[in-house]
Amino acid sequence: PSMEVNRIQLDDGIEILKATVNLTRNTVFTIEPTNGVNASNFSSFVTQRRAELVLGGIYGVGNWTLISEGRRLSGSGGGYTILGLDSYNQPEMITQADNRSIPFQPEKYWFAVQAGPRLVRNGTANVTTDGVRNQGHRTLDIAVSAPRSGIGFSQDGTKLYYVMTTENSRGISLPELATIMASERVGCWQAMALDGGDGPALAHNSSVVQGPGSRNQPFLILIYNSMQAPQALRTKWEQLQPANISPASG
């Protein structure tokens, strides 16, 4: 399958949901502004959209950069950490604090989400208070245990991973989330945190796996197999795919 979801029981009372997405040219990402979707109507939203995956955890308060279908939905620039996919679904993750001379180039992305802090760099989990503050998260307490979510991708860039703690799990700290994302059970080479608390949510094949909390979700990530995507989205995506170039993943 191009996308799958697994429930994984870890040690010490931690349980996660892991969604795996094969980053082929047949996989289409979009971000939908929702604003009124929460625990009470998430199931209805999922049924209506018929996406293969629906993911929560996008930050809603503040000027966070989001790019969908090559168009900026919100935000005014770089900073913090950005996960981006180009029109061939090749992923990259940029943390401005790593090299402030790197310009943010929104025109190169079909899809991009700004969040943070950075959890995994080149396969190594590394979350420290000083590092997080250097990234711009000035008041974030990395030791607080809470429901968490994160997103990242494999070393070869062919798989994207979304992870969230389940309602059966104890809360976890950001260093714990980083360790999970870099572990063999998940497999991230690069990863960043998404929203926690009421934000994380996951649906698969039009069925809710775990919904969000009571707080309204400002945006949700929808992922389709291109053959099942809404016609306008599918057409826009296919126009970017040269017929004479085979997908990077084969």
Side-chain angles (χ1 to χ4, degrees):
S2 59
M3 306 174 214
E4 63 180 20
V5 173
N6 297 106
R7 186 179 295 268
I8 303 173
Q9 183 69 51
L10 302 174
D11 296 333
D12 196 24
I14 302 172
E15 184 181 67
I16 62 170
L17 294 169
K18 173 190 175 184
T20 302
V21 182
N22 289 326
L23 293 175
T24 72
R25 303 271 182 82
N26 294 322
T27 304
V28 188
F29 288 72
T30 189
I31 299 172
E32 182 168 336
T34 55
N35 199 25
V37 173
N38 54 39
S40 67
N41 56 8
F42 182 67
S43 179
S44 175
F45 176 89
V46 165
T47 301
Q48 292 170 7
R49 295 312 184 274
R50 302 171 65 96
E52 195 161 344
L53 283 176
V54 179
L55 310 177
I58 293 180
Y59 289 127
V61 178
N63 193 30
W64 299 94
T65 294
L66 299 174
I67 295 171
S68 179
E69 301 172 36
R71 180 174 60 90
R72 189 193 296 266
L73 295 181
S74 68
S76 58
Y80 298 99
T81 297
I82 292 177
L83 167 68
L85 300 173
D86 66 14
S87 58
Y88 302 105
N89 272 339
Q90 296 298 302
E92 71 174 4
M93 188 168 288
I94 297 174
T95 299
Q96 188 181 37
D98 292 346
N99 188 342
R100 298 186 185 278
S101 66
I102 298 176
F104 176 58
Q105 299 174 288
E107 68 278 359
K108 69 191 290 188
Y109 298 121
W110 164 267
F111 166 94
V113 173
Q114 184 183 47
R118 185 72 170 262
L119 299 173
V120 181
R121 288 180 178 82
N122 301 330
T124 299
N126 184 16
V127 178
T128 65
T129 296
D130 287 346
V132 165
R133 288 177 179 168
N134 189 46
Q135 293 173 36
H137 304 275
R138 304 295 184 190
T139 62
L140 186 62
D141 186 347
I142 65 174
V144 169
S145 292
R148 300 284 184 185
S149 66
I151 195 166
F153 54 87
S154 60
Q155 184 174 3
D156 63 6
T158 64
K159 295 186 187 304
L160 180 138
Y161 304 114
Y162 174 85
V163 166
M164 61 178 285
T165 52
T166 73
E167 56 194 5
N168 301 320
S169 177
R170 69 169 175 84
I172 61 175
S173 67
L174 284 168
E176 286 179 312
L177 177 59
T179 298
I180 291 168
M181 299 297 283
S183 70
E184 290 185 2
R185 301 293 293 274
V186 176
C188 287
W189 184 247
Q190 313 291 349
M192 68 181 185
L194 295 175
D195 198 10
D198 282 345
L202 176 60
H204 184 220
N205 288 334
S206 300
S207 296
V208 176
V209 182
Q210 183 168 310
S214 59
R215 172 164 46 89
N216 285 349
Q217 304 296 301
F219 300 92
L220 289 166
I221 299 170
L222 281 66
I223 311 175
Y224 293 90
N225 180 295
S226 62
M227 299 302 292
Q228 280 76 50
Q231 186 60 52
L233 175 62
R234 177 182 173 184
T235 298
K236 191 171 184 179
W237 175 250
E238 289 180 345
Q239 287 173 346
L240 298 174
Q241 310 303 308
N244 61 337
I245 301 178
S246 60
S249 58

